Structures are given as C-alpha cells and as structure tokens.
C-alpha cells in the first residue's frame, strides 16, 4: 500500500492556498519564508475584509427581513391550491396536516374577491376567531390578518356586507382580549407587541366601518319603491336574514308595512328551523295568532340558523384532498365528481380536530 502524507496531492512537499488556488513552495527557504509571509498578510487582509463584508451582509439581510415582516401585505401561498388532509403518519407521509397549513395552502385571498365565496370565507374567519386562533402558526396568523384587511378594504369600497364584517371584527377583538390576558400560558404565537398592534388595527377598521355613509345614486331611475307590491314582496322573500328585513322596513312607511307580512316571517322561520324547534318556541298573540316575527328572533337566540353558500370548499373522499371547485386536484378515481362533497365552514374546522 503506498504511503500517503498529510497532503494527498504531493506527499512530502509544502502547499499553500492562495486566491488563485493551491501553490507549491519552491526549494529555496528564503523564497518560502518571503512567500509565506506575504501569503499570511494577504490571508489576514482577506479574512478581515471577509468578516466585515459578512457583517454588513448579515445586517443588511436582517434589516431587509424586518422590513419585509413589518410591511408586507402579500399572504404566502403554495403553488398548489389544494391540500391532502391526513390525520396520522403513513409510509408515504410523515406527520399530520394542521389547520394553519391548510389556511396557508388554500387560496382564501382570491376567494374573498369572488362574490360566491365571500360569505363562506367570512364565516370561516369568524369560526377561527372564536376558538381556533391559537392553533394557527405564525405565518398562518399573518395571512389571517392580511386576508381580514383585504375583506375590510373591499367592504369599504363597495359598501356591502357591512354588518357581518362588524360582527367578525367584534368577535376577533373579544377573543384577542381574552387571549392576551393569558399570555403567561403561551396561548398565542409571536410577540405580545405584535398582537397589541393588530388589536389597534382592528379598532381602526371598526371605526372606518362605523363612519361609512351610503350615498344615494345620482342617476335617476326606477327604485325598489317604484315596483308593484307583489314584486317587492318577492324580492323580500329572497332575504335570508330577518335583520335585513327590519333594516329595509326602516326606509319608508310603505316598506315597513310590507316587512310586517306574517307569511314572510313564517317562510323565514321554516327555512332556518325545523318543525320541532318551531313547536317548542310557539308565541301566540292576544287574538290567538302565531307571532312569526317574534318567534324568529327567539329561535335565533336558541338555535343556529341554516347556512347556505353559493360556493364552498370540496373534499374528495377518495384521495382525501381539500380543494376549491375550480381547482384541479390529482384525483385517481374513475368518477371524481361522485367522490366530492361540499364542506361547510364548521366542517372545515372539524377536519383538523384530532
């Protein structure tokens, strides 16, 4: 077996590393000493400059990162707009899927711009604010606040869906107040100052929503009151929230008379609640008639109302993938449509309860 010295390139000879590469010393000792001294000086100068440049680069990167974390308004999303929901480790996948990961992977930022999905996302944000906020990761919490800011900006621009967003902000603020008081238990991810700043932002958004003034359109044309009474009632039957009917009745005396129609409130009760629930909360008037309007608000306090959305998230029972309907997920079933089922906002939360 041949002998190998410390330097495998040329055993028994001296080599030195320079900027141009490795160089071999000559046999002249004086030349070696001179070259070695010059090399040491160059090496010290090189190391000093390298340390300075590394320090500057690290400081610049840190400032850039802090600026990005503080000022960015773009949520982070993966390329794929679907997620595989697995609750245990398998040979193919390790770990499990979390609510924060699903919130990052599914494109909620674009969903709020779709009128069909807006109420769905708002309801999901409200459910997360009530009980699931501490389970979100730091990135997911940041995405949550960025999406919420987009929702508020959209409402301020088009002046629609003001009341649901006010309720969402109030729910979130109350939850944060209770969570911040328990910071000793590490219930929130991130610095306490960040959450205080977010709470201040919520108060500013609430004030902006309170200052909304809906102006009448300047163009002259037909209004709701110009329509026949039968058409006005037909439009009112499309409203699924009794509070909207009450607000509509405050516009004019004629609309108030129409919104007091007993059949209108009866259909509203039958739409949201079962017959058994209605029988338990029967309210009779002095003349023996059913007070459907009073029964509706009493039922709302006792039971949850029926939720119906134009478009929801879909869950594939064959491949266990959660996705939006217009997103093509890699399904291996012969009939992929038969394996898909809609997922309600509460169902979305339940998928990640272990």
């Amino acid at each position: 077996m041949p002998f190998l010295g410390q330097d495998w390139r040329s055993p028994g000879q001296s080599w030195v590393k320079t900027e141009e590469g490795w160089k071999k010393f000559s046999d002249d000792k004086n030349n070696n000493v001179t070259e070695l001294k010059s090399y040491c000086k160059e090496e010290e100068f090189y190391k000093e400059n390298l340390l300075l440049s590394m320090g500057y680069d690290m400081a610049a990167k840190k400032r850039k990162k802090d600026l990005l974390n503080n000022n960015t308004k773009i949520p982070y999303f993966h390329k794929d707009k679907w997620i595989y929901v697995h609750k245990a480790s398998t040979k193919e996948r390790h770990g499990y899927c979390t609510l924060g990961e699903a919130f990052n992977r599914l494109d909620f930022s674009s969903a709020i711009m779709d009128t069909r999905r807006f109420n769905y996302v708002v309801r999901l944000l409200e459910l997360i604010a009530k009980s699931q906020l501490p389970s979100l990761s730091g990135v997911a919490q940041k995405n949550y606040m960025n999406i919420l800011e987009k929702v508020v900006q959209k409402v301020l621009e088009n002046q629609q869906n003001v009341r649901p967003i006010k309720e969402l902000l109030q729910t979130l603020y109350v939850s944060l107040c209770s969570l911040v008081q328990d910071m000793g238990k590490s219930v929130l991810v991130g610095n306490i100052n960040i959450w205080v700043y977010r709470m201040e932002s919520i108060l500013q958004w609430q004030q902006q929503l309170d200052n909304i003034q809906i102006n009448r359109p300047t163009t002259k044309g037909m209004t709701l009151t110009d329509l026949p009474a039968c058409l006005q009632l037909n439009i009112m039957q499309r409203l699924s929230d009794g509070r909207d009917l009450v607000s509509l009745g405050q516009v004019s005396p004629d609309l108030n008379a129409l919104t007091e129609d007993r059949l209108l409130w009866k259909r509203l009760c039958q739409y949201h609640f079962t017959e058994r629930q209605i029988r338990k909360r029967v309210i009779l008037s002095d003349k023996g008639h059913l007070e459907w309007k009073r029964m509706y608000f009493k039922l709302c306090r006792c039971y949850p109302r029926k939720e119906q959305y134009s478009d929801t998230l879909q869950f594939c029972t064959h491949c266990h993938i959660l996705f939006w309907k217009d997103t093509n997920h890699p399904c291996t079933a012969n009939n992929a449509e038969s394996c898909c089922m809609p997922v309600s906002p509460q169902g979305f939360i339940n998928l990640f309860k272990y």
Side-chain angles (χ1 to χ4, degrees):
M1 181 176 180
F3 170 75
L4 297 178
Q6 293 182 354
D7 193 342
W8 58 269
R9 296 176 181 80
S10 179
Q13 295 181 358
S14 299
W15 289 74
V16 65
K17 185 178 181 181
T18 63
E19 294 182 358
E20 291 79 9
W22 286 89
K23 290 186 177 181
K24 184 172 62 173
F25 281 117
S26 61
D27 295 335
D28 190 356
K29 294 183 179 180
N30 294 329
N31 293 338
N32 287 346
V33 173
T34 304
E35 189 173 355
L36 184 59
K37 288 182 178 179
S38 62
Y39 167 73
C40 291
K41 291 181 180 179
E42 293 178 358
E43 187 71 14
E44 290 178 0
F45 180 75
Y46 173 73
K47 287 182 178 179
E48 184 178 357
N49 292 338
L50 180 62
L51 291 175
L52 289 175
S53 62
M54 287 178 62
Y56 290 142
D57 292 343
M58 291 177 63
K61 288 182 179 179
K62 188 176 184 304
R63 287 194 299 269
K64 185 177 180 180
K65 182 179 180 181
D66 293 340
L67 183 64
L68 182 65
N69 290 336
N70 293 331
N71 298 335
T72 184
K73 299 299 180 183
I74 303 176
Y76 172 74
F77 293 109
H78 292 258
K79 181 179 179 181
D80 298 327
K81 305 304 181 184
W82 50 267
I83 186 171
Y84 177 79
V85 180
H86 51 288
K87 295 187 177 182
S89 298
T90 62
K91 294 181 179 179
E92 295 80 10
R93 293 179 179 270
H94 297 282
Y96 55 91
C97 179
T98 62
L99 177 63
E101 184 181 357
F103 196 82
N104 291 335
R105 292 284 296 271
L106 298 172
D107 194 1
F108 290 105
S109 182
S110 301
I112 60 175
M113 300 303 171
D114 191 340
T115 307
R116 301 171 302 168
R117 301 174 181 174
F118 181 83
N119 292 331
Y120 181 88
V121 177
V122 170
R123 177 58 178 167
L124 183 59
L125 293 177
E126 184 179 1
L127 291 177
I128 293 177
K130 285 183 178 179
S131 59
Q132 302 298 321
L133 196 61
S135 63
L136 297 181
S137 62
V139 177
Q141 290 175 357
K142 185 177 181 180
N143 286 344
Y144 181 94
M145 297 303 299
N146 290 339
I147 293 174
L148 182 60
E149 183 176 1
K150 283 190 174 183
V151 170
V152 174
Q153 294 300 327
K154 182 179 180 182
V155 173
L156 292 175
E157 291 175 1
N158 56 25
Q159 298 181 345
Q160 298 178 2
N161 301 306
V162 178
R163 186 180 64 247
I165 307 306
K166 283 185 177 180
E167 295 175 353
L168 169 60
L169 293 177
Q170 182 63 25
T171 301
L172 179 60
Y173 187 81
V174 172
S175 299
L176 288 178
C177 287
S178 61
L179 292 175
V180 168
Q181 293 176 358
D182 299 333
M183 275 302 295
K185 302 178 181 179
S186 300
V187 295
L188 283 175
V189 178
N191 194 309
I192 183 63
N193 295 327
I194 297 177
W195 287 105
V196 172
Y197 172 77
R198 290 172 177 173
M199 294 175 68
E200 292 176 354
S201 300
I202 294 173
L203 292 177
Q204 293 178 1
W205 294 338
Q206 288 179 329
Q207 185 176 4
Q208 291 176 358
L209 293 176
D210 292 336
N211 295 333
I212 288 182
Q213 295 182 356
I214 301 177
N215 300 322
R216 291 182 177 271
T218 56
T219 57
K220 295 182 179 180
M222 182 175 292
T223 61
L224 179 63
T225 55
D226 297 331
L227 297 175
C230 59
L231 293 181
Q232 295 181 23
L233 280 174
N234 194 3
I235 294 174
M236 293 177 185
Q237 291 174 3
R238 303 301 191 270
L239 299 177
S240 60
D241 194 337
R243 292 173 296 180
D244 294 332
L245 286 176
V246 174
S247 300
L248 184 60
Q250 296 175 354
V251 175
S252 65
D254 294 337
L255 290 176
N256 186 26
L258 291 177
T259 55
E260 295 296 330
D261 184 70
R262 294 180 62 255
L263 183 59
L264 194 64
W265 290 98
K266 178 182 178 180
R267 291 180 177 178
L268 202 58
C269 290
Q270 293 176 346
Y271 173 76
H272 285 286
F273 309 104
T274 62
E275 293 184 3
R276 182 179 179 182
Q277 293 173 343
I278 294 174
R279 287 197 299 267
K280 288 184 176 181
R281 308 295 173 180
V282 171
I283 299 178
L284 298 176
S285 63
D286 297 336
K287 297 181 180 180
H289 301 297
L290 292 175
E291 293 284 348
W292 288 105
K293 183 177 180 180
R294 293 175 57 191
M295 288 171 57
Y296 169 80
F297 289 105
K298 185 175 182 179
L299 289 167
C300 289
R301 293 191 297 268
C302 299
Y303 309 103
R305 290 179 301 172
K306 181 179 179 181
E307 297 181 5
Q308 187 173 5
Y309 305 98
S310 301
D311 193 7
T312 65
L313 284 170
Q314 302 288 317
F315 182 73
C316 182
T317 57
H318 177 76
C319 52
H320 298 275
I321 287 181
L322 192 65
F323 63 99
W324 291 107
K325 186 178 293 185
D326 57 353
T327 304
N328 295 324
H329 73 286
C331 187
T332 58
N334 295 329
N335 189 2
E337 295 182 357
S338 62
C339 301
C340 297
M341 56 179 293
V343 179
S344 64
Q346 185 61 50
F348 177 85
I349 302 295
N350 295 336
L351 283 176
F352 304 97
K353 287 184 177 180
Y354 304 105

